[in-house]
């Protein structure tokens, strides 16, 4: 990592978790994986404080651990995950736009706490929403649970890996660190909970003063507490799914700018149909038939099947190749070329950066080199219609800023 990235990680850790966690986290970022006692020795921090700091970092997926053959547990910082904390407000706002205030608070609680059980999230969110309501109104647990289920169904939240039951029942000595596993089929499976209740308001200090003396209030022992129905099933925010959503929005926006709103709505529908069935790293979406796309268009979108087919043909014939045709069954099978779409978006951003930094003539040369892949200086002058001295200066300027590279040919 660069020094600037390390400094940014340091500031993020300090702002969210305090000085001790920041000290341990930055040490691991600088040194790589290390065992517990080495971390304590190198940072000059007590073993107890190092353990607590590592617990916080592991809870928030900022540090991972690995057991080596000799039984030594080493801890390693996840730098990219620390930097993703910058996007927390965007994750929360995205959930608010998709699932209203309830979804926003669910994701916020998961990001603030790292991992939580569904029952704990539902109660926390119901209490927070009740606080914002008018007197006499409360938020029902069932309503929050329904939103949580919708978030799981669309993969914005997912289960955390857990210790397998076979490991718990093993009579032998416990391992140095637990091995966490999860079945991919269960990753978005919501446990069947009957959470009955409503959100509660916090008692203000004035209410406490006006009420009974604290000594006279009935005391409840912890022995009478009911067991947590989903104990051991923890959930976390699925950040990769949010990034997939951001990618899809960028593709839809690009299609709208290049063509029209109807084309972008067709592409949005195709992405929405594939958002769960297609991996975030897949080069293409799952093939979709023209008939399936027509049935899945938004209710108020009144276009005929014939017009849809014309739009799909137009999208498939476009030089950018965001949409490709993969077959003829079902009225035609279509896919979205995700990798090519992202490459086109990245190229457009680069062209914009070059134009802003170096001017329109440099942008013309840059587009020419992108198109030709490899080109000699004399050809640049001829094709871009720029004087030799000026073209040479512009090429050198972009070369020095690493926007271009020089390849020496052999005679």
């Amino acid at each position: 990592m660069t020094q600037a990235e390390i400094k940014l990680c340091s500031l993020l850790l300090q702002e969210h978790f305090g000085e001790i966690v920041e000290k341990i986290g930055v040490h691991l970022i600088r040194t790589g994986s290390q065992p517990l006692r080495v971390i304590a020795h190198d940072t000059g921090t007590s073993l107890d404080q190092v353990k607590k700091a590592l617990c916080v970092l592991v809870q928030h997926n900022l540090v991972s651990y690995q057991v080596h053959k000799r039984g030594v547990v080493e801890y390693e910082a996840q730098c990219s995950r620390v930097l993703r904390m910058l996007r927390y407000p965007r994750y929360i706002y995205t959930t608010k736009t998709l699932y209203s205030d309830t979804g926003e608070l669910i994701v916020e609680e998961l990001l603030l706490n790292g991992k939580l059980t569904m029952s704990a999230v539902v109660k926390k969110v119901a209490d927070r929403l009740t606080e914002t309501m008018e007197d006499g109104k409360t938020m029902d647990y069932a309503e929050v649970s329904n939103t949580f289920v919708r978030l799981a169904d669309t993969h914005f939240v997912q289960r955390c890996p857990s210790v397998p039951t076979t490991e718990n029942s093993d009579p032998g000595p416990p391992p140095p660190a637990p091995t966490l596993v999860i079945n991919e089929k269960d990753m978005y499976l919501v446990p069947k909970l009957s959470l009955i209740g409503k959100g509660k308001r916090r008692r203000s200090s004035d209410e406490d003063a006006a009420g009974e003396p604290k000594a006279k209030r009935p005391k409840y022992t912890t022995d009478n507490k009911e067991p947590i129905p989903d104990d051991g099933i923890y959930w976390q925010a699925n950040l990769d799914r949010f990034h997939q959503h951001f990618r899809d929005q960028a593709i839809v926006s690009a299609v709208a700018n290049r063509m029209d709103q109807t084309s972008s709505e067709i592409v949005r529908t195709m992405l929405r149909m594939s958002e769960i069935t297609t991996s975030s790293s897949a080069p293409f979406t799952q093939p979709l038939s023209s008939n399936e796309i027509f049935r899945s268009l938004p209710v108020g979108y009144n276009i005929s099947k014939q017009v849809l087919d014309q739009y799909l043909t137009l999208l498939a014939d476009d030089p950018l190749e965001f949409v490709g045709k993969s077959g003829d069954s079902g009225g035609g099978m279509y896919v979205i070329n995700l990798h090519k779409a992202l490459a086109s978006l990245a190229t457009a951003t680069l062209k914009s950066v070059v134009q802003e930094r170096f001017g329109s003539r440099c942008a013309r040369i840059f587009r020419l080199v992108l198109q030709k892949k490899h080109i000699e200086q004399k050809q640049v002058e001829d094709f871009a219609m720029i004087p030799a001295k000026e073209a040479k200066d512009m090429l050198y300027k972009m070369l020095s800023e690493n926007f271009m590279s020089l390849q020496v040919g052999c005679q």
Side-chain angles (χ1 to χ4, degrees):
M1 292 188 81
T2 63
Q3 290 301 314
E5 286 175 321
I6 293 172
K7 178 63 176 174
L8 180 55
C9 287
S10 170
L11 292 170
L12 286 168
L13 290 172
Q14 186 168 2
E15 182 183 345
H16 284 79
F17 307 112
E19 291 183 7
I20 295 174
V21 173
E22 179 266 337
K23 187 178 183 181
I24 304 302
V26 171
H27 175 73
L28 287 174
I29 290 170
R30 291 185 185 276
T31 59
S33 59
Q34 284 195 332
L36 176 65
R37 294 189 180 278
V38 175
I39 298 169
H41 177 268
D42 290 352
T43 57
T45 311
S46 70
L47 210 59
D48 186 50
Q49 284 183 322
V50 174
K51 286 180 180 178
K52 289 177 180 177
L54 287 172
C55 279
V56 171
L57 291 166
V58 171
Q59 170 78 6
H60 288 266
N61 298 317
L62 304 176
V63 162
S64 61
Y65 60 85
Q66 187 176 2
V67 183
H68 290 272
K69 291 181 180 179
R70 295 182 180 179
V72 178
V73 181
E74 289 195 348
Y75 298 88
E76 184 177 5
Q78 303 298 314
C79 310
S80 60
R81 188 64 175 73
V82 177
L83 293 174
R84 285 185 180 185
M85 293 166 73
L86 286 169
R87 296 182 183 171
Y88 280 9
R90 191 176 178 192
Y91 301 145
I92 293 168
Y93 179 73
T94 298
T95 319
K96 181 182 177 70
T97 58
L98 295 174
Y99 299 98
S100 72
D101 293 345
T102 308
E104 173 195 7
L105 293 182
I106 289 171
V107 170
E108 185 180 327
E109 285 293 339
L110 289 173
L111 291 173
L112 288 174
N113 293 280
K115 303 177 179 74
L116 281 174
T117 61
M118 178 182 170
S119 55
V121 173
V122 168
K123 288 172 184 175
K124 281 174 177 282
V125 171
D127 290 347
R128 287 181 63 180
L129 288 170
T130 300
E131 288 284 341
T132 63
M133 290 179 170
E134 298 174 5
D135 291 339
K137 292 185 178 180
T138 56
M139 173 58 69
D140 199 292
Y141 286 172
E143 192 173 334
V144 182
S145 296
N146 291 337
T147 305
F148 192 100
V149 171
R150 288 168 61 204
L151 283 164
D153 288 342
T154 50
H155 297 186
F156 282 103
V157 298
Q158 63 183 17
R159 281 195 190 190
C160 302
S162 57
V163 180
T165 52
T166 52
E167 191 168 314
N168 289 330
S169 59
D170 191 355
T179 303
L180 304 179
V181 295
I182 187 166
N183 190 338
E184 198 171 334
K185 294 178 181 177
D186 298 335
M187 195 173 284
Y188 306 102
L189 182 65
V190 180
K192 292 181 180 178
L193 303 177
S194 55
L195 295 173
I196 302 169
K198 297 180 182 294
K200 298 175 183 176
R201 298 177 188 273
R202 294 178 186 172
R203 290 176 64 88
S204 66
S205 56
D206 295 338
E207 287 175 338
D208 286 340
E212 296 180 42
K214 290 184 180 179
K216 291 185 179 180
R217 291 180 188 167
K219 294 180 180 178
Y220 298 97
T221 60
T222 55
D223 298 336
N224 295 331
K225 285 187 177 179
E226 294 181 5
I228 301 170
D230 58 342
D231 189 24
I233 302 175
Y234 288 88
W235 293 81
Q236 61 189 354
N238 183 4
L239 304 190
D240 288 336
R241 176 67 182 87
F242 281 97
H243 295 158
Q244 183 182 337
H245 177 75
F246 300 153
R247 177 204 68 191
D248 293 351
Q249 294 298 101
I251 292 172
V252 170
S253 178
V255 172
N257 291 335
R258 183 170 176 81
M259 294 186 176
D260 61 4
Q261 196 62 38
T262 304
S263 299
S264 69
E265 195 58 50
I266 291 168
V267 170
R268 188 197 304 276
T269 302
M270 292 175 69
L271 288 167
R272 191 175 64 247
M273 292 168 69
S274 308
E275 62 187 4
I276 296 174
T277 57
T278 303
S279 166
S280 57
S281 58
F284 300 94
T285 59
Q286 295 292 328
L288 299 167
S289 71
S290 172
N291 295 330
E292 287 177 312
I293 298 168
F294 182 70
R295 287 195 296 269
S296 301
L297 284 171
V299 178
Y301 226 78
N302 296 320
I303 63 169
S304 64
K305 176 68 168 58
Q306 185 181 358
V307 172
L308 172 65
D309 289 338
Q310 289 172 352
Y311 268 104
L312 287 170
T313 303
L314 188 67
L315 285 163
D317 291 340
D318 187 76
L320 289 182
E321 298 179 7
F322 278 24
V323 175
K325 191 171 184 180
S326 62
D328 296 316
S329 59
M333 302 294 289
Y334 295 90
V335 297
I336 293 178
N337 190 335
L338 299 170
H339 283 188
K340 191 158 283 189
L342 290 175
S344 296
L345 291 171
T347 302
T349 304
L350 273 175
K351 289 175 183 176
S352 177
V353 169
V354 170
Q355 178 144 349
E356 287 291 323
R357 188 176 294 189
F358 305 112
S360 59
R361 287 196 164 192
C362 276
R364 192 194 308 171
I365 293 173
F366 187 75
R367 285 195 296 270
L368 179 64
V369 176
L370 273 175
Q371 185 182 354
K372 301 289 186 181
K373 307 295 182 187
H374 300 91
I375 190 168
E376 295 180 3
Q377 183 180 322
K378 182 68 174 68
Q379 291 175 306
V380 170
E381 299 163 10
D382 295 338
F383 287 127
M385 292 184 290
I386 295 174
K389 185 178 181 302
E390 201 173 335
K392 185 178 179 181
D393 290 343
M394 289 177 179
L395 284 167
Y396 178 76
K397 197 183 292 183
M398 288 189 282
L399 181 68
S400 63
E401 294 278 350
N402 294 321
F403 281 92
M404 289 189 183
S405 60
L406 185 64
Q407 184 174 341
V408 181
C410 298
Q411 293 288 335

